[in-house]
Amino acid sequence: MIEPGNSAAASGEATPPAGAYAWTVFALTFGLMLSDYLSRQVIGAVFPFLKSDWGVSDSQLGALVSVVSVVVGVLTIPMSMMADRWGRVKSITLMAFVWCLATIACGLATSYTQLLVARALVGVGEAAYAAAGAALLAHTFPIGRRAAIQGAFQSAGLFGSVLGVVIGGAVASQFGWRTAFFVVGAPGLLLALAYPFVVRDYQPPKLMAGDRGNAAVPLGQLVRQVFVARSGNLTFLAFGLQMAIPSILIAWMPTFLIRSYAFEPRKAALMAAVVVLVAGVGVLFGGGIADWLSKGRPRYRAIVPAAYTLICGVMLTSGFSMSPGPVALGLIVVGAVFAVAHGGCAVAIVMDVTHPAVRATVTATAVLGASLLGLAPGPFVVGLISDMSDLKTALTIAPLISLVATGLFLLASRAYEGDAARFRNVAPPEPDRLLRPSPLPRLGPVPSSGQANPLQ
């Protein structure tokens, strides 16, 4: 029985050691993910200031969060395909410059419309970064660390969100909300400058023997490969729906704490940062735990994230429904630990059950699902419900979506083993070594079991 993502020997994939180059790529890619989410989530910390200065509604505030996710969702697949065609490293560098400069432009906005447009441009820059970064890391590290590395990469988004809330709240309180955008937008420019000088791109594998590269493969064939596995399709849905929860927590926790707990803005930002921080810890370790528990039990690859989403839904619904107090806040914190713990597991599942030639597109599809099913509608819908009733009621209802994600992950676990077995002999490319380029191997068809694989 094969165990994709857990045993290289079982999967047939090569297991090169993660040396200096691999960890250098990880550090820079992780750092840009921090910058990505600093730029994306600082907006939540300045909600009270925008409402005071411009008198905007809660739904308008929610739209400032959601517009980024909508743009990311719409553009992630075409821009990921462009990254595969033009080059991941060059694309990542350009995208980082766009989102950093757009964040700085947010601080220069003089009206709500200008701010909304600048936020949309942040989404343009971030559209394909998660997919391109995940593909580079999947190329660089062995399959036995896939869920752990992908989870660690995703944790940068939560830690970046924490920094966005903390820095944004502190800077806005002292120097005004415009300065908050300037402070979080600038650091990513330095990483973007360094990235192409350190990280080298790689030659992606061919989907079909004899083709002229993946750019020449018919679109229909690519789409069929992305959605070839039932477990992968169910995971796309589960991952996307569950990602509404961290988006809601990041966007609305500071405002919730101000309204329900009477915290002043700086204290609310710090407490909200703690909630997001524990969510980052959950995703950091969630993938590694899934790797460990699924050894010898492949179905646990999907059962473990089902457990995460179930605990998240129960804890958050309980915490938000109670009267404000230490117990309620404690339940919210516990729920937040599991809010994104499924992330590394979900990305590993969809990579395990699809061909490596479409890995960036598969990751982009997961990002699309997350953006359109969870990240984009989550904060906006909570704002709409809050306008009709109150924020406490809206946040009590929202975590019920985690129970839907639980059911989808359980259904995915039933098909996972068979789906993953189709690709046990398709090996990833050998990672490059720092400062020592490797010649590209001859490309050819996928060999039968037991043969050396020249595909990557």
Side-chain angles (χ1 to χ4, degrees):
M1 188 66 64
I2 96 167
E3 302 169 35
N6 297 299
S7 169
S11 68
E13 295 198 18
T15 57
Y21 177 70
W23 291 111
T24 301
V25 172
F26 178 81
L28 288 173
T29 308
F30 185 93
L32 280 177
M33 193 70 153
L34 284 175
S35 171
D36 180 324
Y37 276 81
L38 270 168
S39 297
R40 184 182 297 202
Q41 303 299 354
V42 65
I43 191 72
V46 303
F47 273 3
F49 303 94
L50 291 173
K51 194 171 187 69
S52 175
D53 286 1
W54 290 349
V56 293
S57 68
D58 282 353
S59 57
Q60 286 179 304
L61 292 175
L64 291 172
V65 179
S66 297
V67 68
V68 177
S69 298
V70 169
V71 173
V72 169
V74 170
L75 296 181
T76 184
I77 289 182
M79 290 189 68
S80 294
M81 294 175 69
M82 181 201 73
D84 275 336
R85 187 171 301 190
W86 189 45
R88 287 141 298 277
V89 172
K90 288 188 290 186
S91 298
I92 285 172
T93 302
L94 177 61
M95 286 186 287
F97 274 110
V98 171
W99 82 60
C100 290
L101 293 174
T103 300
I104 293 172
C106 289
L108 301 174
T110 59
S111 68
Y112 176 82
T113 300
Q114 290 180 7
L115 181 56
L116 188 66
V117 171
R119 289 287 294 169
L121 290 175
V122 171
V124 172
E126 297 176 350
Y129 178 69
L136 274 170
L137 294 177
H139 157 74
T140 305
F141 286 87
I143 188 175
R145 296 185 179 182
R146 182 169 292 165
I149 291 297
Q150 294 297 331
F153 175 55
Q154 291 181 36
S155 75
L158 275 299
F159 295 135
S161 298
V162 169
L163 291 175
V165 172
V166 171
I167 295 172
V171 173
S173 296
Q174 290 292 110
F175 305 103
W177 62 266
R178 296 181 185 278
T179 307
F181 287 110
F182 302 151
V183 170
V184 302
L189 294 174
L190 298 177
L191 288 174
L193 284 171
Y195 204 82
F197 293 100
V198 178
V199 182
R200 294 189 306 277
D201 215 333
Y202 64 92
Q203 176 68 38
K206 293 182 179 180
L207 183 59
M208 299 183 298
D211 67 26
R212 295 171 295 170
N214 291 335
V217 175
L219 180 61
Q221 175 69 4
L222 288 174
V223 172
R224 283 193 294 273
Q225 289 295 327
V226 169
F227 297 105
V228 69
R230 182 171 184 267
S231 60
N233 297 336
L234 291 166
T235 300
F236 285 139
L237 294 174
F239 175 70
L241 289 172
Q242 179 63 18
M243 288 305 292
I245 304 303
S247 181
I248 290 167
L249 292 177
I250 292 165
W252 287 108
M253 274 304 295
T255 303
F256 170 74
L257 292 171
I258 290 171
R259 295 182 186 178
S260 296
Y261 285 76
F263 286 2
E264 55 92 20
R266 182 179 296 183
K267 183 179 179 182
L270 289 174
M271 189 64 231
V274 171
V275 173
V276 180
L277 179 63
V278 298
V281 173
V283 70
L284 180 62
F285 294 103
I289 291 172
D291 278 341
W292 175 60
L293 290 177
S294 59
K295 289 181 178 178
R297 298 178 295 268
R299 286 185 62 188
Y300 277 46
R301 180 71 117 186
I303 291 175
V304 171
Y308 293 157
T309 55
L310 176 62
I311 296 172
C312 172
V314 171
M315 293 295 104
L316 289 180
T317 298
S318 301
F320 283 121
S321 66
M322 295 174 63
S323 299
V327 175
L329 200 55
L331 290 173
I332 292 171
V333 171
V334 172
V337 172
F338 297 94
V340 207
H342 72 294
C345 313
V347 173
I349 289 170
V350 298
M351 286 184 173
D352 289 346
V353 300
T354 49
H355 195 288
V358 294
R359 187 166 286 159
T361 306
V362 163
T363 308
T365 303
V367 173
L368 174 64
S371 297
L372 299 186
L373 295 176
L375 295 173
F380 181 68
V381 170
V382 166
L384 286 177
I385 298 174
S386 177
D387 285 340
M388 292 185 291
S389 55
D390 57 69
L391 186 57
K392 185 176 186 295
T393 300
L395 291 174
T396 300
I397 294 171
L400 296 176
I401 199 169
S402 294
L403 304 184
V404 179
T406 299
L408 291 168
F409 274 125
L410 290 175
L411 290 174
S413 72
R414 301 175 62 181
Y416 171 75
E417 290 185 64
D419 291 339
R422 303 177 191 178
F423 301 100
R424 61 183 163 197
N425 291 320
V426 182
E430 183 75 13
D432 295 327
R433 295 292 184 258
L434 188 64
L435 303 180
R436 189 180 65 174
S438 301
L440 293 176
R442 183 184 302 275
L443 300 179
V446 178
S448 60
S449 179
Q451 293 178 320
N453 189 351
L455 216 170
Q456 298 182 33

